[in-house]
């Protein structure tokens, strides 16, 4: 919230043209979710409203600020790119290191209790049929990590011309390694389908075939 109001002051000073259009689908989604809350009684209302308010603050304010800064300030793009590269490196390298200790996550063991949650070692264990168990890296749940990997695989490809080739190879390699090792199979399918669709749009059928074989 502080970042949001600081941004409004900054936008007023710089006379930025603000744009809320990218958030329209999410506004519609959360309006629908708000209406659904009125028609159920299985979950305590106070609990739902607390999470609903938290989600709105979390999923609307920061994306709104980031989007508008990206549109209005070219220097901000480089800062965001560098920040995301560091985030990818930290998350993915830690994810790979966790293959050495299947079924546990020291970072989450420390941080989850701070928010009143517990690390589910039974869910994360290698007894689930995954070689290294379910790996969450720095995320609260393996599926959150899976979504992150799917999104940053696309992002890394899109910034390939803006970064050194060796850095791009490192990013793609550790992202794909985590996708294969972290124990959520839908991540592999997501990245595979996205890659095939991208290659199809570029009419690169030879590379599609190679990707399928790999």
């Amino acid at each position: 919230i502080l970042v949001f109001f600081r941004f409004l002051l900054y936008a007023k000073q710089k006379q930025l043209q603000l744009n809320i259009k990218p958030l329209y689908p999410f506004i519609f989604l959360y309006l629908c979710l708000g209406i659904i809350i009125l028609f159920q009684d299985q979950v305590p209302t106070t609990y739902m409203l607390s999470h609903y308010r938290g989600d709105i603050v979390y999923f609307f304010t920061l994306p709104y600020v980031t989007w508008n800064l990206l549109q209005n300030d070219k220097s901000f793009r480089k800062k965001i790119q560098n920040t995301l590269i560091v985030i990818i490196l930290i998350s993915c390298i830690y994810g790979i290191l966790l293959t050495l200790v299947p079924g546990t996550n020291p970072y989450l063991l420390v941080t989850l209790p701070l928010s009143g949650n517990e690390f589910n070692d039974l869910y994360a264990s290698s007894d689930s049929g995954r070689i290294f168990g379910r790996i969450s890296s720095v995320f609260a749940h393996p599926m959150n990590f899976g979504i992150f990997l799917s999104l940053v695989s696309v992002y890394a490809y899109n910034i390939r011309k803006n970064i050194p080739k060796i850095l791009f190879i490192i990013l793609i390699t550790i992202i794909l390694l985590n996708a294969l090792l972290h124990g959520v199979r839908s991540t592999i399918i997501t990245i595979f389908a996205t890659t095939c669709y991208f290659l199809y749009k570029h009419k690169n059928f030879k590379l599609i075939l190679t990707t399928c074989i790999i």
Side-chain angles (χ1 to χ4, degrees):
I1 292 173
L2 287 173
V3 170
F4 177 69
F5 283 109
R6 177 66 185 89
F7 166 73
L8 292 181
L9 290 173
Y10 174 80
K12 186 177 180 181
Q13 291 170 358
K14 299 291 185 179
Q15 297 182 330
L16 303 183
Q17 292 183 342
L18 303 184
N19 182 7
I20 199 173
K21 285 184 179 179
L23 294 180
Y24 283 170
F26 302 98
I27 292 173
F28 175 75
L29 169 65
Y30 275 87
L31 283 174
C32 292
L33 291 175
I35 293 170
I36 290 172
I37 286 176
L38 302 174
F39 294 96
Q40 73 83 45
D41 56 4
Q42 297 298 312
V43 180
T45 303
T46 53
Y47 178 85
M48 282 191 298
L49 291 177
S50 174
H51 279 266
Y52 184 72
R53 185 190 69 246
D55 279 0
I56 288 175
V57 172
Y58 186 78
F59 292 122
F60 280 84
T61 53
L62 193 57
Y64 177 75
V65 170
T66 305
W67 171 260
N68 281 285
L69 284 173
L70 286 171
Q71 294 300 306
N72 290 284
D73 187 349
K74 291 183 179 179
S75 65
F76 188 72
R77 297 185 183 188
K78 188 69 175 178
K79 296 171 186 174
I80 283 288
Q81 176 184 292
N82 293 340
T83 303
L84 287 173
I85 288 172
V86 172
I87 289 170
I88 294 169
L89 289 171
I90 291 172
S91 302
C92 290
I93 291 172
Y94 183 60
I96 293 170
L97 289 175
L98 287 177
T99 61
L100 302 175
V101 284
T104 189
N105 189 323
Y107 175 76
L108 293 183
L109 285 171
V110 172
T111 57
L112 285 179
L114 299 177
S115 57
N117 297 304
E118 293 182 2
F119 178 69
N120 190 339
D121 53 355
L122 184 63
Y123 179 76
S125 74
S126 54
D127 295 337
S128 60
R130 278 78 172 171
I131 297 174
F132 303 105
R134 293 184 175 92
I135 293 174
S136 305
S137 184
V138 296
F139 296 84
H141 195 280
M143 296 244 179
N144 295 128
F145 188 35
I147 293 170
F148 170 79
L149 292 171
S150 300
L151 293 173
V152 296
S153 64
V154 176
Y155 179 74
Y157 185 82
N158 275 281
I159 63 169
R160 69 192 185 283
K161 294 180 181 179
N162 303 331
I163 59 177
K165 187 175 181 180
I166 184 64
L167 178 58
F168 169 68
I169 292 172
I170 291 171
L171 289 176
I172 286 295
T173 301
I174 61 175
I175 289 168
L176 294 180
L177 270 176
N178 274 280
L180 290 171
L181 301 177
H182 86 114
V184 177
R185 291 160 292 192
S186 53
T187 306
I188 301 171
I189 299 300
T190 303
I191 293 177
F192 175 74
T194 305
T195 303
C196 286
Y197 176 75
F198 179 84
L199 296 174
Y200 167 75
K201 293 294 288 184
H202 286 76
K203 309 299 181 186
N204 197 334
F205 298 107
K206 184 178 179 181
L207 198 52
I208 291 176
L209 180 60
T210 306
T211 304
C212 290
I213 292 171
I214 292 172

